[in-house]
Amino acid sequence: MSQPFSHNWFIRADGLRLAYRKAEGAGPTLAFLPGYISDMAGGKATAVFDWAVANGRACLLLDYAGCGESEGDFATQTLTGWRDDVLAMIDGLTDGPVVLIGSSMGGWLMLLVGEALGDRLAGMIGIAPAPDFTRWGFTDVQREAILTKGVHFEHNPYGPEPTPTYKGLYESGEASLMLDREIAIDCPVRLLHGQADADVPWKISLKLASALRSNDVRVTLIKDGDHRLSRDADIALLLSTVAEVAGC
């Protein structure tokens, strides 16, 4: 878990406090959506925020309910609940066009949020996006464990604690599948994916590119890139992509 840093609170309609950081500046607003069990203090989110501050651009970082500094019980969260939280924060904290940047599971949320944003969506950048991971990311045995026991734990290569998948999140994902339909998004989309990614197959980005309605879609494959894409060269590629999509 990343170290906490200064943040503000967005008060949800039910009183739950969601943590966020915001940089004021020229639009479109860059909104970073972290991956599963990740948060706004991660390296890629911080790099985007620092770039935005240095270049006078508007940026929004956030922690989903039950993650990072936000309140809430992680075990009760769902994909659609997080989607609604992101939409509420974008609506309540930003004006005008938005560029969504989604990492891993945040790439799935990016698509769900993007469809809902409509004309406000100015662009999207996916970093090893993982839409539909409930469909391709588990074996039948693991699915049965999730549905019968309510949770499945997997080895976590990025930390000491195992990674849980809870039944509510799994069922929410299964009800939000996207890759086998047209995704009604028409803005510029850039997808960055490492071909050495052991968590999300890089061919998912190719399938996503085909499913998007937009014709302005580019997939960049990094032959030796892993899932995190957090090396200096990876971050440089991300920031140059942000600059392109944001119109710098």
Side-chain angles (χ1 to χ4, degrees), residues 47-61:
V48 169
F49 191 86
D50 290 346
W51 178 92
V53 171
N55 289 275
R57 307 303 293 244
C59 186
L60 175 66
L61 305 187

Side-chain angles (χ1 to χ4, degrees), residues 48-237:
V48 169
F49 191 86
D50 290 346
W51 178 92
V53 171
N55 289 275
R57 307 303 293 244
C59 186
L60 175 66
L61 305 187
L62 55 89
D63 285 343
Y64 313 126
C67 299
E69 299 302 307
S70 287
E71 297 178 343
D73 179 5
F74 181 82
T76 66
Q77 305 306 314
T78 66
L79 196 70
T80 48
W82 284 338
R83 174 203 63 195
D84 293 344
D85 285 346
V86 172
L87 284 167
M89 296 175 82
I90 288 175
D91 183 59
L93 298 171
T94 73
D95 296 303
V98 175
V99 170
L100 298 174
I101 306 167
S103 177
S104 193
M105 183 207 70
W108 193 353
L109 285 172
M110 171 185 76
L111 299 169
L112 294 169
V113 171
E115 282 194 319
L117 279 178
D119 292 341
R120 290 193 66 190
L121 183 63
M124 296 197 312
I125 301 169
I127 309 160
D132 296 13
F133 71 75
T134 53
R135 182 53 51 93
W136 50 260
F138 299 97
T139 66
D140 290 341
V141 172
Q142 291 169 338
R143 288 189 186 90
E144 183 178 0
I146 293 170
L147 294 175
T148 58
K149 299 177 182 179
V151 64
H152 167 68
F153 292 93
E154 289 185 87
H155 169 68
N156 177 11
Y158 308 114
E161 299 297 327
T163 300
T165 302
Y166 291 95
K167 182 178 179 181
L169 178 71
Y170 178 85
E171 291 181 332
S172 177
E174 285 292 280
S176 305
L177 298 174
M178 307 191 79
L179 291 179
D180 290 329
R181 66 171 176 84
E182 182 181 72
I183 301 173
I185 284 172
D186 298 300
C187 67
V189 181
R190 304 293 179 262
L191 306 175
L192 313 177
H193 215 130
Q195 287 186 282
D197 190 333
D199 298 308
V200 180
W202 57 267
K203 290 184 179 179
I204 293 294
S205 279
L206 300 185
K207 190 168 185 180
L208 171 56
S210 296
L212 286 160
R213 190 168 67 193
S214 173
N215 287 321
D216 188 0
V217 180
R218 297 181 202 162
V219 180
T220 300
L221 299 176
I222 301 94
K223 185 173 182 179
D224 63 345
D226 62 9
H227 181 61
R228 303 184 84 174
L229 290 180
S230 58
R231 301 168 301 181
D232 289 347
D234 301 325
I235 296 296
L237 173 61

